[in-house]
């Protein structure tokens, strides 16, 4: 073997990776929060709306689901500022993109969750005199949350990995940090070994944490 | 019963269909205040649909349902204009309902299930609602289960929470929809005992049941429904006596003579 592993240069620049990881997590958390707000709003709207609104929401969902994320990132970061005279930082632009992206997936998650709330529970809510909003707030949403928690966890893990796409517009997240070290030290194998382990450990940690949360909220239907 | 007293619940020529299927074909019925009325009949005869129309969980197309003189579901005045959602909610709060499949809110404890309507609909302070909930849960024999989730309760216990949830709202009339059908046989009596007691205390009740013995013992009047119509009615003893002259009723009751009534 002609290649000798040497991690020294990696450790010297480890702060690039560490700060990148922190930013990746921040991007994922902020995006899923905004995305969940978008998704919930549209899902609630969808289940109570007429044909036109439903078609519009479906169009949004299908558009996002059928266009590669990286292309969406380019469209939002380069395309929109070109057409309208407007500029934003790569990070802000990427958060916007990832929020719209996760929002589209979460519309589907929340919509099926809302529809999975047993009809009997809604009848019971009606029977004690709750108004439609109260039924949504006190009956439908709590049960929906429990039903959708596993799907939410999975979406979050995916989003965390998807933050690596931000490297293409120079957002200094984990993958970008890895590339930076690679370009400056040429320790390509070492840097990607360390980066992969960092994604793996963090992703697995998140999964483990979220499964605990799910167990805590698990309720028989 | 005072002759010129208005019945609490008055149903006139009620008709209801799902698509092509006519489920209710002109029902007339009246329930007086303090009266417990049992509805019996073969499955598919429209019993449950009738009950669900009374609190407008099902809409109806023709005829009228009045509680205390107020039209259920539609604005008074007979122009078939559906009431607004807030108005519907307000009216539904006046009728309690207990369901065959309990339908407790799974994320709320027994007490919280009872409290939800008290705090959000009746606007009672939390402390007072809690006291009312505890009172009713004790009444149905669940002193030791007040803070348990539905998933931690047996079917019979869940159904008793369901009854407490409905009764705590102090409804004008209580609707019971085959409330023991989903229970194991050994859990049926603990639920029926609670209902029997409520009937004795003068709670106005309309109950759909398959427990003929219970209907006979606990109700003032039995209505026999068949094919979307009231086929016979009367006080339990009178109704049972009609069986000889009413073939459908006789056929229906004979199934129970061999099993339940011995």
């Amino acid at each position: 073997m002609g290649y000798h592993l040497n991690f020294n240069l990696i450790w010297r620049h480890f702060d690039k990776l560490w700060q990148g990881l922190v930013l990746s997590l921040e991007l994922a958390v902020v995006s899923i929060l905004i995305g969940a707000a978008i998704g919930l709003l549209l899902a609630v709207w969808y289940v109570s709306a007429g044909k036109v609104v439903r078609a519009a929401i479906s169009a949004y969902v299908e558009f996002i689901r059928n266009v590669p994320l990286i292309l969406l990132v380019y469209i939002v970061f380069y395309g929109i500022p070109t057409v309208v005279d407007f500029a934003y930082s790569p990070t802000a632009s990427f958060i916007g993109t990832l929020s719209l992206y996760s929002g589209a997936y979460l519309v589907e998650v929340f919509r099926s969750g809302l529809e999975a709330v047993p009809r009997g529970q809604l009848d019971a809510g009606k029977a004690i005199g709750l108004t439609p909003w109260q039924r949504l707030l006190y009956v439908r949403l709590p049960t929906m949350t429990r039903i959708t928690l596993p799907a939410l966890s999975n979406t979050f893990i995916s989003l965390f990995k998807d933050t690596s796409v931000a490297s293409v517009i120079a957002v200094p997240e984990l993958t970008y940090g890895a590339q930076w070290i690679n370009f400056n030290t040429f320790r390509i194998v070492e840097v990607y070994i360390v980066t992969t382990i960092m994604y793996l450990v963090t992703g697995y940690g998140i999964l483990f944490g979220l499964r605990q949360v799910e167990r805590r909220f698990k309720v028989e239907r | 019963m005072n002759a010129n007293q208005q019945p609490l619940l008055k149903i006139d020529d009620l008709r209801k269909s799902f698509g092509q299927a006519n489920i209710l074909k002109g029902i007339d019925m009246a329930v007086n205040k303090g009266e417990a009325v049992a509805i019996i009949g073969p499955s598919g005869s429209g019993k449950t649909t009738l009950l669900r129309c009374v609190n407008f969980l099902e809409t109806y197309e023709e005829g009228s349902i009045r509680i205390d003189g107020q039209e259920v579901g539609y604005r008074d005045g007979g122009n078939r204009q559906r009431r607004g959602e807030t108005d519907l909610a307000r009216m539904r709060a006046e009728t309690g309902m207990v369901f065959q499949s309990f339908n407790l809110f799974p994320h709320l404890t027994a007490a919280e299930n009872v409290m939800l309507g008290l705090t959000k609909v009746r606007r009672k302070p939390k402390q007072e609602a809690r006291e009312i909930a505890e009172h009713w849960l004790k009444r149905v024999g669940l002193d030791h289960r007040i803070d348990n989730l539905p998933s931690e309760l047996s079917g019979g216990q869940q159904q008793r929470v369901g009854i407490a949830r409905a009764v705590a709202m102090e409804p004008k009339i209580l609707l019971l929809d085959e409330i023991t059908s989903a229970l194991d046989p050994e859990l049926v009596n603990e639920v029926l005992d609670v209902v029997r007691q409520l009937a004795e205390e003068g709670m106005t009740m309309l109950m759909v049941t398959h427990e003929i013995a219970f209907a006979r013992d606990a109700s003032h009047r039995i209505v026999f429904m068949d094919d979307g119509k009231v086929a016979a009615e009367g006080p339990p003893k009178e109704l049972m006596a009609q069986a000889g002259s009413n073939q459908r009723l006789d056929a229906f009751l004979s199934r129970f003579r061999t099993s339940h009534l011995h």
Side-chain angles (χ1 to χ4, degrees), chain B residues 112-260:
Chain B
E112 288 165 345
N113 262 278
V114 181
M115 288 165 66
L116 187 62
L118 295 170
T119 53
K120 304 305 174 194
V121 178
R122 296 277 185 247
R123 307 264 170 212
K124 292 189 188 295
K126 219 167 187 166
Q127 183 60 34
E128 191 188 342
R130 170 87 194 181
E131 281 161 18
I132 297 172
E134 284 179 6
H135 166 79
W136 280 107
L137 288 170
K138 278 178 191 155
R139 277 288 314 274
V140 300
L142 291 173
D143 329 35
H144 55 301
R145 287 280 184 258
I146 286 172
D147 294 312
N148 282 82
L149 287 169
S151 55
E152 299 162 343
L153 303 176
S154 73
Q157 291 171 333
Q158 288 190 49
Q159 193 57 297
R160 285 183 279 152
V161 175
I163 294 171
R165 177 174 68 179
V167 179
M169 296 288 286
E170 296 180 4
K172 289 175 179 167
I173 183 167
L174 189 61
L175 309 172
L176 309 174
D177 184 14
E178 298 187 23
I179 62 168
T180 56
S181 297
L183 293 177
D184 292 333
E186 71 270 21
L187 301 177
V188 166
N189 277 327
E190 65 186 53
V191 171
L192 293 185
D193 284 343
V194 171
V195 177
R196 198 173 282 128
Q197 231 181 346
L198 288 171
E200 279 166 15
E201 286 164 17
M203 169 69 74
T204 311
M205 292 195 283
L206 185 59
M207 48 189 169
V208 169
T209 183
H210 285 141
E211 303 283 338
I212 302 298
F214 174 72
R216 191 187 55 189
D217 298 342
S219 67
H220 300 100
R221 201 145 48 84
I222 298 181
V223 173
F224 172 62
M225 273 182 71
D226 188 38
D227 193 26
K229 282 179 285 211
V230 174
E233 71 174 307
K237 273 190 190 133
E238 282 179 31
L239 186 93
M240 300 295 172
Q242 286 180 40
S245 57
N246 185 326
Q247 228 175 25
R248 300 295 305 238
L249 178 59
D250 189 51
F252 178 73
L253 289 177
S254 67
R255 275 189 274 152
F256 296 93
R257 276 191 205 108
T258 49
S259 55
H260 292 57

Side-chain angles (χ1 to χ4, degrees), chain B residues 17 27 31 48 52 67 87 122 143 151 168 220-221 243 261:
Chain B
S17 49
I27 302 275
V31 179
T48 290
R52 289 171 63 86
I67 294 176
D87 207 16
R122 296 277 185 247
D143 329 35
S151 55
H220 300 100
R221 201 145 48 84
L261 287 187

Side-chain angles (χ1 to χ4, degrees), chain A residues 147-194:
Chain A
I147 294 171
T148 55
L149 223 46
L152 269 176
S153 303
N154 294 341
T155 306
F156 183 70
I157 303 274
S158 296
L159 275 194
F160 169 63
K161 290 186 297 178
D162 289 340
T163 55
S164 63
V165 174
S167 60
V168 301
I169 52 170
V171 175
E173 45 69 61
L174 181 50
T175 300
Y176 185 82
Q179 281 168 358
W180 187 93
I181 295 174
N182 183 24
F183 292 146
N184 287 281
T185 68
F186 302 110
R187 306 311 301 183
I188 182 163
V189 178
E190 293 86 337
V191 77
Y192 285 124
I193 287 176
V194 173

